[in-house]
Amino acid sequence: MQVTTSAIVLALPVEAGDTSTRQYGSAISLIRAADWHTTNNVVVVTPAFSSTPWFADRAANTTTMPVRQESYLLEVIVPYLRNRTLGGVSLAGPISLVGFSKSGWGTFSLMARNPTAFHRAALWDAPTMLGVDFCQWLSGDMWGMMANFGDCETWKANSPVELVRAGAGVAISGRVWLGGQHYFGSMCSAHGCTQAPGSPFNHTVQFHQLLADHSVIHLYDDALDPGRHEWSWLWLRPALDSLLVKTDPASTAAR
């Protein structure tokens, strides 16, 4: 039997445990209903995490129970998929990432930190502008961020805004789709952080401008709002389609 090769899309979850939730819905269910994976010869996988996912390795000196979500993805999930053949289909094609909210942060952070491991990244309505100054200002553990990062240096090493400021966007230029927005257009008004550094936040718009300022070519669509902060075919379909692009013409530059 002839073995064909398929690309892989990792749909990164927003919460721990079951990746289909009443609050956020299910990426896999939406993709299966549209038969997008079959039409485009793509295997779609949703990994699961035992704790709130921020897709980082926690600072080693902050806990006796290390959280190593980035290592888990790179050293366990990816090799596992690479060694699989499903119905005569080898999972040896490029691996791309899609997510929103916390997992949108994860798609960009993982891609920027591991530019040769992943083909493309697509993110929607994500808190991309929360940098190290926000970490230093923050008291408490909003959304489980400190429980995952452990300290502000680890936060900084994984933060999308800090990665772009440090020049990490150059290696992934032309391979990012950025969409929005809903919840993170007004994050501070919702969480009482109007005094935080960088506020008022409009993450999608500000991150788009940051990418443009650092000459990081990307596709951008800020008109996609399904009315809820969730997996929605309204934004997921263009996000997924962006992962199929094989070339990076100048027309994809930030506009």
Side-chain angles (χ1 to χ4, degrees):
M1 180 175 63
Q2 184 177 2
V3 176
T4 59
T5 299
S6 175
I8 301 170
V9 169
L10 294 180
L12 300 183
V14 177
E15 295 293 348
D18 188 349
T19 55
S20 175
T21 67
R22 180 176 297 179
Q23 182 176 2
Y24 298 117
S26 167
I28 294 294
S29 295
L30 292 171
I31 294 168
R32 184 182 292 118
D35 204 32
W36 182 89
H37 57 303
T38 303
T39 302
N40 295 289
N41 185 35
V42 176
V43 171
V44 182
V45 177
T46 298
F49 295 82
S50 60
S51 60
T52 300
W54 281 96
F55 311 96
D57 288 356
R58 183 160 54 183
N61 62 345
T62 60
T63 178
T64 57
M65 294 290 290
V67 176
R68 301 179 65 234
Q69 293 178 349
E70 181 179 24
S71 294
Y72 167 63
L73 197 69
L74 294 173
E75 298 173 12
V76 178
I77 293 176
V78 169
Y80 171 79
L81 293 173
R82 290 301 195 200
N83 289 325
R84 300 275 294 179
T85 299
L86 302 176
V89 177
S90 170
L91 308 190
I95 301 177
S96 295
L97 306 166
V98 63
F100 79 102
S101 195
K102 292 190 290 290
S103 69
W105 165 300
T107 65
F108 190 90
S109 180
L110 286 166
M111 178 86 164
R113 287 168 54 83
N114 306 279
T116 62
F118 302 111
H119 177 56
R120 288 181 174 274
L123 58 152
W124 176 83
D125 201 21
T128 45
M129 294 301 295
L130 299 184
V132 68
D133 52 353
F134 187 88
C135 177
Q136 293 164 347
W137 169 86
L138 183 66
S139 62
D141 191 18
M142 188 174 68
W143 304 316
M145 296 181 86
M146 290 309 296
N148 279 265
F149 299 125
D151 59 30
C152 287
E153 283 303 307
T154 304
W155 176 313
K156 181 178 181 179
N158 287 274
S159 164
V161 62
E162 299 292 355
L163 286 164
V164 175
R165 287 170 177 166
V170 174
I172 62 173
S173 183
R175 296 192 280 149
V176 175
W177 180 93
L178 174 66
Q181 59 179 297
H182 181 69
Y183 188 76
F184 284 107
S186 57
M187 190 274 289
C188 270
S189 62
H191 290 276
C193 60
T194 54
Q195 303 304 312
S199 68
F201 291 98
N202 190 316
H203 292 269
T204 305
V205 172
Q206 288 174 293
F207 196 60
H208 161 60
Q209 187 59 56
L210 181 74
L211 292 174
D213 290 345
H214 285 77
S215 301
V216 180
I217 296 172
H218 60 288
L219 292 167
Y220 175 62
D221 191 338
D222 191 41
L224 302 173
D225 185 354
R228 286 176 57 86
H229 185 64
E230 65 182 5
W231 292 107
S232 165
W233 199 237
L234 176 70
W235 69 262
L236 183 56
R237 174 60 186 269
L240 290 169
D241 287 346
S242 78
L243 303 178
L244 301 175
V245 178
K246 293 182 172 60
T247 58
D248 302 306
S251 61
T252 65
R255 294 183 293 274

